Amino acid sequence: MPQYAFFNGKFMPLSEAKIGIMTHALHYGTACFEGIRCNWNAEQEQMYIFRLSDHYQRLLKSCRVLKIEIPYSVDELCQLTVELAAMCGYREDIYIRPLAYKSSEEVGVRLHNLDDGFFLFATPFGAYLDVTKGARCCVSSWRRVDDTMIPPRAKITGLYVNSALAKTEAFENGFDEAILLTHDGHVSEGSGENIFLVIDGQLVTPPSSDNILVGITRDTVIMLAQQELGIETTERSIDHSELYTADECFLTGTAAHVTPVTEISYRKVGTGQVGEISMMLQDLYFDVILGKNQKYLHWCTPTYKQTKA
Ligand code: PMP
């Protein structure tokens, strides 16, 4: 199946979208990106893009931090994305990656007096973590980068070296995912996911001030828990040891969906089985992203003009 990109203001085959080896962003991590999922609903023969405009609102905020200016509004970015996804014609889950970057081919660490570029591509993308069984996590020896260093609320490419160090350490030690603590020892997030604990039937998750990316899946889960299950979420700093005393734990992210965690650093989470509340939220979440729940259909942008349903 031919793959396409939107690059330098036009659509083209992915194989033709190339950047030069001197590109600033490649050397200094000076780019912002998003990860957007299009979820294939086989019954309706439709692909739904989840919370598209929210991703672009976050991208434009990230760009403000890095002084990147792209010549598109949120609405225009959404239109380009739907066009690209439709052009590719996939009939499976795909991932869309927009990236806004310092495009000057120039040596010199800075943000000012540089050109900005933007591209977008789509690629097939299945499960990132196994959502059917519980993930085994470790508390990373790497600490989460602080807002005073590279602000994690902005999705900046350079920041992901921190995530990559933690993820590979976890993988090489036989775990599925890493949980990073802040420099003062509070729970922050996974390498590419937000984290929730279930404590006494309520949800607890770190606040945006604990160096997390404020996730769109996190927001979705907070809303679904409240509106569909009557479960409230407290956003507060979480001590390291609460990871070992919580009843349930799960990770959320565009790639990871809602992934239950059943083990953290060789300790069982709760009973060691996938938790009940985690499963209820995962079921609700999958229905919502597949466009099966009418109440949340406004979050789902259809890619193809005709639907079977
Ligand atoms: N934290 C980090 C570090 C991430 O990379 C991601 C994935 N974008 C998330 C959290 C989850 O964010 P979202 O739910 O918006 O995908």
Side-chain angles (χ1 to χ4, degrees), residues 181-194:
L181 305 180
T182 61
H183 68 291
D184 65 353
H186 290 113
V187 176
S188 180
E189 60 180 345
S191 70
E193 308 87 16
N194 293 117

Side-chain angles (χ1 to χ4, degrees), residues 58 144 155 160 189 191-194 213 215-217 252-254:
R58 187 169 69 186
R144 187 72 179 135
K155 205 166 162 59
Y160 277 78
E189 60 180 345
S191 70
E193 308 87 16
N194 293 117
L213 178 76
I216 290 164
T217 320
T252 63
T254 298

Side-chain angles (χ1 to χ4, degrees), residues 49-66:
I49 313 180
F50 191 59
R51 296 192 66 170
L52 182 55
S53 61
D54 294 306
H55 280 284
Y56 282 121
Q57 277 165 28
R58 187 169 69 186
L59 181 72
L60 295 187
K61 282 186 192 167
S62 299
C63 284
R64 297 216 304 256
V65 177
L66 281 199

Side-chain angles (χ1 to χ4, degrees), residues 7 23 41 67 72 80 101 105-106 141 164 169 182 205 207 210 218 230 234 237 243 251 257 260 281 306:
F7 179 61
T23 302
N41 180 323
K67 292 175 162 289
Y72 309 106
L80 289 171
Y101 64 109
E105 301 200 25
E106 231 176 272
S141 71
E169 180 193 54
T182 61
T205 195
D210 276 345
R218 174 184 182 273
T234 306
S237 286
L243 292 174
L251 301 170
H257 300 302
L281 285 166
Q306 307 253 309

Side-chain angles (χ1 to χ4, degrees), residues 65 143-152 156 159 162 183 211:
V65 177
R143 292 293 167 106
R144 187 72 179 135
V145 171
D146 191 72
D147 186 68
T148 56
M149 302 165 183
I150 307 171
I156 296 170
L159 182 67
N162 180 232
H183 68 291
N211 297 324

Side-chain angles (χ1 to χ4, degrees), residues 46 302-307:
Q46 181 56 275
T303 302
Y304 301 125
K305 291 216 169 69
Q306 307 253 309
T307 49

